[in-house]
Each structure stands twice: as structure tokens, then as C-alpha cells.
Amino acid sequence: MQSDFLLIAAPTKAGEDFMKQVKLVGLPFIALTNNKMERLKLEGQGVKQIIQVDTSEPGTSIIPDYPIGNVILFEESLPLCCRYIQICRSWTSRPIYVITQSVNPRLIYKGLGADYVIYSKNGDVKFLISSLKTNNHIGSV
């Protein structure tokens, strides 16, 4: 049985820490970015699989060659997070999680297709890893 890939957009320090934890527990994941500088930074951190999308034209993104499962988006800015949700929603029927430090955009994100909006002052959501580990297999689409 092939595993879905967890897709993580981690432009924040909390996101980077989460990605390191996911790597440590051995979950298959792909990093998501929209610029070359962040891509180079991710490569420098040892991230093997990276998808770079053009967020200025959300309709132009190609569908990844990998089965995308859950999506974790660490909010850096409202517009960027909105674009990521719009792009990723067409890639998976699995939950999209948005991790935010602001309580205001919750309904916006939900309206665009996010399943869970988690408010966290420090962005520490390591508690998600255990549920992601048990739910990363194809079959419950």
C-alpha cells in the first residue's frame, strides 16, 4: 500500500521545527514553497522533495506527480496562505490544516477549503504528528 505524502508549507520558524519533527518520525512529506530563495533554504536543510508553485497565478499550478494526503500550511501572510489553500484543495480530498497566530482569518480560510484552522501563539503543533502517522495511507478517500 503506497502512502500519501504530507504536504507542508513552512515559511515560519514553527513550520521549520514541525518539518524537522516530521522528518524524525519518518513520515513521507513534500515541502511547498512559492519562491526560489525558500526552495534553496529548504534544500540546505536537507529536504529532498519540494514543490514550487506560482502563487501569482493560482490556476496555472500543475498537479504533483505524488499522491498528496494531508496538507499543513503555516501562515506567514493572509494572501499567501489563501493562495496555498486554493492551489492545494484541488490536489487532495484529505484535510488541510492552517496554523495561524491570528484569530481573525479563520472563516476566510474555512471558506476557501481549509478543514482545520489551528490558532497557536508559538506555532507548536507537534501534537498533530501522532494523528498524521496513523492517517497517512491511501484507501480512505
Side-chain angles (χ1 to χ4, degrees), residues 87-107:
I87 292 167
C88 295
R89 186 73 280 169
S90 66
W91 293 351
T92 185
S93 59
R94 302 292 294 276
I96 294 177
Y97 298 80
V98 175
I99 315 307
T100 179
Q101 293 183 336
S102 171
V103 293
N104 298 326
R106 187 173 57 90
L107 293 175

Side-chain angles (χ1 to χ4, degrees), residues 68-130:
I68 302 298
N70 295 314
V71 177
I72 311 285
L73 305 173
F74 285 83
E75 177 198 59
E76 183 178 43
S77 74
L78 178 74
L80 179 59
C81 198
C82 289
R83 293 286 187 162
Y84 279 159
I85 294 169
Q86 291 172 316
I87 292 167
C88 295
R89 186 73 280 169
S90 66
W91 293 351
T92 185
S93 59
R94 302 292 294 276
I96 294 177
Y97 298 80
V98 175
I99 315 307
T100 179
Q101 293 183 336
S102 171
V103 293
N104 298 326
R106 187 173 57 90
L107 293 175
I108 294 169
Y109 293 149
K110 290 241 181 201
L112 289 171
D115 297 282
Y116 302 101
V117 180
I118 301 170
Y119 170 77
S120 173
K121 261 199 177 329
N122 64 3
D124 183 1
V125 290
K126 286 193 239 20
F127 64 88
L128 285 175
I129 293 174
S130 60

